[in-house]
Amino acid sequence: MLSQGRRMERPVVIHKVASDLRLSPNWVDYEAGRRVDVWADARHALQGLPGGGLNLGFEAVDRQAAGALRDHVALRFVARNAPPLDLRYFELAQQTNRFANVLRSLGVGKGDHLFVLAGRIPELYVAVLGALKNGSVVTPLFSAFGPEPIAARIQLGAGRVLVTTDALYQRKVKQIRAQTPTLVHVLLVAEDGGITNEPDTLDLGTLMASASDTFSTVETQPDDPALLHFTSGTTGTPKGALHVHEAVVTHFATGRYALDLHPQDRYWCTADPGWVTGTSYGIIAPLLQGVTSLIDREEFDAERWYTLLEQERISVWYTAPTAIRMLMKAGTELAQRHSHPDLRFIASVGEPLNPEAVWWGQEALGLPIHDNWWQTETGGIMIANTPAFDIKPGSMGRPLPGIDACIVEHLEAEGEPARVRVIEEANVEGELALKRGWPSMFRAYLNNEARYRKCFAGELYLTGDLAKRDADGYYWFVGRADDVIKSAGHLIGPFEVESVLMEHPAVAEAGVIGKPDPVVGEVVKAFVSLKDGYQAGETLRLDISAHARRRLGAAVAPKEIVFLPTLPRTRSGKIMRRLLKARELGLPEGDTSTLEGGAWTK
Ligand code: ATP
Ligand code: MG
């Protein structure tokens, strides 16, 4: 009963009127169902290199520093125990020039791979952008990775340079030097501001101080490699997706159409650059749109986050369902102790956003949350509830202008190349596919050509996600192909079940798996963690179970519900259902290199 009454009052669509985007000619055409070439528009807005070619770092930094935004704050770093640090566009240009000159002086050039292993410190951002300007290929890594995942990634990318801090070097890198023979230069940031003198390393501060602050960007072409990103490892061993400089076209267009960024915005993307979101939308897209980006060096803390939103006067906020669920867990009251008059747009990515979370945004922050969908492989946002369109809570939104999405069915289970049929009818489940050719499409899984080929069926890129499209063109996530549960002839998407569990006031998060069953194939089993103030117990379990049966029917509702203090999740915040399942079945856990906390105990 508890949640049913409340649900009744909620419309299925949230109407939008805000944003000047709605009036832009492209948007009007798009809404009218006409084709819009946003890529051409973005290419036009980008400058290109003076001598020809296209470079991500140049467009993000130098184009702005040479224009009206020269003195505008590009990046604002905040930390608990240090004063804020602002880097203006011209300063960022100078710093990245210095870093590019450091690389050049070391003989590191176009196509060489550079890894960065650091917290969200200014040097990380300078190194990423400076290396791009130098034509090198960049991979930021989560600083919380252990030595083995670091070594494995450097090996796969044949890393030539690593930028890290003295402390991280001592703890995690020193011991893997012998395993990473390609690594010629290790550049250390001294965290106390002094000078490092570790053997076989160089002190970055010293090199930067003596490097020139002018640099002409290395001529890169749209198809030259720029970024190597590892997938989150939610479904298995992380894959290295290679992106090229042309991705800048998607970053530019989506920064505008999906996030509605304008130079006067104060924008905060909470993702770490170790995950593709923290690079595409935590570094590049905001700079391309000339905004001021907030970078918080600390880890999640509900009180701190509300305070930052308020005090830093954030206007556009891009975060993830896991963070939203943690804020929900901390209670609406805490949110309401703060006011956020400047906040005008909130978006989320990484996992399905339960309708409950969209509504929570409305209640706690005064704004609904806009879900959007993309992957490491797509390099940028593909499907979104945009600032200009009505939101359908629970839906990922509609394909952005320039993106052709469809739902397909496989014509045979296995076989290569895959053969698929496009499902034209609305509301039919199938695999989500995208017509290839968008600028930020990945160009390889590094060293895994066979796996890359498997992702394509003719002109279509197959995403591995199951979804359906409604009659209005909105896409609805069903589950990952690997996670879908087959029970008594039904296909059950975990997202639907998890969203219903989340409606229960006690539930903070839910992960649902299929547990093998001799009679029906698989039964639905749910793992649930509770909001603060609720006690796990039989009465509560029965109440949640009754709620699920009422909403889903007996065939789909979980047969078993288990309470856990937390669910296992990746560093990018995704629930690892495969780990829940492996533990349930007593099977090997597989690759857990991206597991948050390094280990997870029941
Ligand atoms: P791996 O490929 O290693 O298993 P991963 O797929 O989690 O990891 P990412 O590229 O970080 O790695 O995540 C992309 C996936 O995240 C999508 O394919 C989809 O399953 C999920 N996802 C992202 N955004 C959404 C969303 N808005 N709704 C539902 N699912 C989403
Ligand atoms: Mg994936």
Side-chain angles (χ1 to χ4, degrees):
M1 276 303 140
L2 6 100
S3 45
Q4 260 181 345
R6 221 171 44 195
R7 282 177 54 81
M8 299 290 276
E9 299 150 24
R10 294 179 169 176
V12 288
V13 169
I14 303 175
H15 294 289
K16 298 304 292 293
V17 280
S19 162
D20 57 359
L21 262 185
R22 214 182 161 97
L23 303 174
S24 73
N26 270 345
W27 215 249
V28 172
D29 280 348
Y30 182 64
E31 243 171 309
R34 291 188 283 271
R35 272 201 82 77
V36 181
D37 196 346
V38 283
W39 309 137
D41 279 7
R43 285 195 179 92
H44 184 72
L46 297 168
Q47 204 170 317
L49 291 172
L54 186 67
N55 183 283
L56 261 162
F58 177 88
E59 295 296 340
V61 181
D62 299 53
R63 184 176 53 98
Q64 309 290 27
L69 295 174
R70 181 184 184 280
D71 297 317
H72 195 59
V73 174
L75 303 175
R76 177 171 170 81
F77 295 88
V78 292
R80 234 184 255 283
N81 294 319
L85 174 85
D86 288 343
L87 273 183
R88 294 170 193 279
Y89 277 91
F90 83 92
E91 291 167 323
L92 191 58
Q94 289 177 342
Q95 295 282 336
T96 50
N97 283 347
R98 282 183 193 275
F99 186 78
N101 278 317
V102 167
L103 292 182
R104 183 176 282 178
S105 71
L106 295 172
V108 175
K110 192 168 164 176
D112 287 333
H113 277 240
L114 175 137
F115 284 74
V116 188
L117 176 77
R120 292 179 291 278
I121 56 176
E123 287 84 352
L124 182 161
Y125 295 76
V126 167
V128 167
L129 293 160
L132 288 169
K133 282 162 62 168
N134 188 52
S136 307
V137 183
V138 191
T139 307
L141 295 174
F142 281 108
S143 60
F145 274 158
E148 281 316 313
I150 296 169
R153 284 161 180 74
I154 294 175
Q155 283 159 2
L156 186 80
R160 181 135 186 245
V161 184
L162 173 70
V163 176
T164 187
T165 65
D166 48 2
L168 286 169
Y169 183 78
Q170 297 273 0
R171 289 211 319 270
K172 306 182 173 188
V173 181
K174 217 172 179 168
Q175 57 199 294
I176 57 161
R177 285 295 292 266
Q179 286 163 256
T180 51
T182 58
L183 205 56
V184 184
H185 306 289
V186 175
L187 311 181
L188 294 190
V189 178
E191 280 187 306
D192 62 1
I195 293 176
T196 61
N197 55 6
E198 275 288 326
D200 303 321
T201 69
L202 297 166
D203 179 64
L204 182 62
T206 308
L207 295 173
M208 289 285 277
S210 60
S212 158
D213 64 8
T214 60
F215 181 82
S216 60
T217 298
V218 169
E219 198 179 295
T220 44
Q221 294 304 319
D223 265 334
D224 284 335
L227 290 155
L228 172 69
H229 278 299
F230 289 86
T231 61
S232 291
T234 313
T235 54
T237 304
K239 306 166 280 274
L242 191 65
H243 288 281
V244 297
H245 282 275
E246 197 189 6
V248 71
V249 176
T250 304
H251 296 149
F252 185 92
T254 54
R256 176 141 176 69
Y257 288 102
L259 298 178
D260 198 18
L261 297 174
H262 292 68
Q264 63 272 27
D265 278 316
R266 294 173 65 89
Y267 165 79
W268 182 18
C269 168
T270 60
D272 188 276
W275 179 34
V276 68
T277 306
T279 303
S280 294
Y281 297 98
I283 309 182
I284 298 161
L287 296 176
L288 290 170
Q289 296 297 338
V291 309
T292 296
S293 262
L294 180 78
I295 293 152
D296 180 23
R297 294 183 47 183
E298 312 294 342
E299 291 313 312
F300 176 85
D301 175 290
E303 170 77 55
R304 176 177 172 80
W305 277 30
Y306 287 126
T307 307
L308 281 179
L309 284 171
E310 181 171 13
Q311 288 181 356
E312 295 294 330
R313 305 191 332 273
I314 298 302
S315 56
V316 178
W317 193 37
Y318 196 18
T319 188
T322 180
I324 295 165
R325 287 192 297 259
M326 285 196 279
L327 291 176
M328 290 168 78
K329 197 170 179 175
T332 314
E333 209 184 290
L334 183 62
Q336 286 164 348
R337 262 188 252 147
H338 299 263
S339 69
H340 312 101
D342 298 286
L343 199 56
R344 66 174 178 82
F345 187 72
I346 311 176
S348 158
V349 70
E351 275 200 301
L353 187 67
N354 317 86
E356 226 24 59
V358 178
W359 292 112
W360 173 85
Q362 189 87 58
E363 282 158 21
L365 300 168
L367 295 168
I369 300 171
H370 298 72
D371 188 17
N372 61 52
W373 176 95
W374 58 291
Q375 308 178 304
T376 308
E377 291 85 343
T378 70
I381 303 170
M382 300 281 111
I383 296 180
N385 285 283
T386 67
F389 284 126
D390 295 343
I391 298 177
K392 291 201 186 186
S395 160
M396 319 188 274
R398 306 203 314 182
L400 288 176
I403 302 300
D404 279 322
C406 58
I407 301 290
V408 302
E409 136 185 79
H410 283 255
L411 294 176
E412 56 226 44
E414 291 291 317
E416 215 182 293
R419 288 184 49 239
V420 299
R421 177 185 82 87
V422 174
I423 301 174
E424 302 291 350
E425 309 88 291
N427 298 316
V428 179
E429 274 175 35
E431 185 168 356
L432 174 63
L434 303 169
K435 185 158 176 245
R436 60 195 294 171
W438 72 94
S440 61
M441 190 184 90
F442 72 134
R443 305 302 158 94
Y445 281 134
L446 209 62
N447 297 350
N448 200 344
E449 174 58 28
R451 181 72 184 77
Y452 184 70
R453 257 187 283 116
K454 271 179 85 161
C455 296
F456 295 91
E459 281 304 288
L460 293 176
Y461 162 66
L462 307 172
T463 66
D465 285 345
L466 299 182
K468 56 189 175 189
R469 183 189 58 243
D470 70 16
D472 299 326
Y474 282 72
Y475 282 72
W476 298 76
F477 184 77
V478 172
R480 295 169 180 263
D482 303 10
D483 289 337
V484 166
I485 301 161
K486 297 173 196 72
S487 184
H490 298 283
L491 282 186
I492 301 171
F495 174 49
E496 184 189 6
V497 182
E498 288 161 10
S499 286
V500 164
L501 292 170
M502 292 276 298
E503 290 168 3
H504 192 284
V507 175
E509 53 183 356
V512 164
I513 62 163
K515 179 182 169 183
D517 179 271
V519 181
V520 292
E522 283 181 310
V523 293
V524 177
K525 175 158 186 170
F527 298 85
V528 160
S529 84
L530 297 176
K531 284 191 190 145
D532 295 352
Y534 287 91
Q535 277 298 321
E538 195 51 18
T539 318
L540 185 55
R541 205 178 58 73
L542 289 173
D543 196 53
I544 297 173
S545 180
H547 164 74
R549 289 169 79 94
R550 233 182 355 250
R551 293 270 296 116
L552 295 164
V556 177
K559 293 275 176 298
E560 291 177 40
I561 297 178
V562 171
F563 293 117
L564 292 177
T566 57
L567 300 186
R569 71 181 90 242
T570 65
R571 296 217 165 273
S572 51
K574 297 153 193 275
I575 295 171
M576 283 171 115
R577 293 177 193 79
R578 72 170 160 96
L579 204 53
L580 289 169
K581 192 159 181 172
R583 296 242 172 136
E584 178 68 32
L585 304 182
L587 295 172
E589 293 185 352
D591 190 308
T592 54
S593 62
T594 60
L595 181 64
E596 192 183 59
W600 168 73
T601 40
K602 273 195 191 181

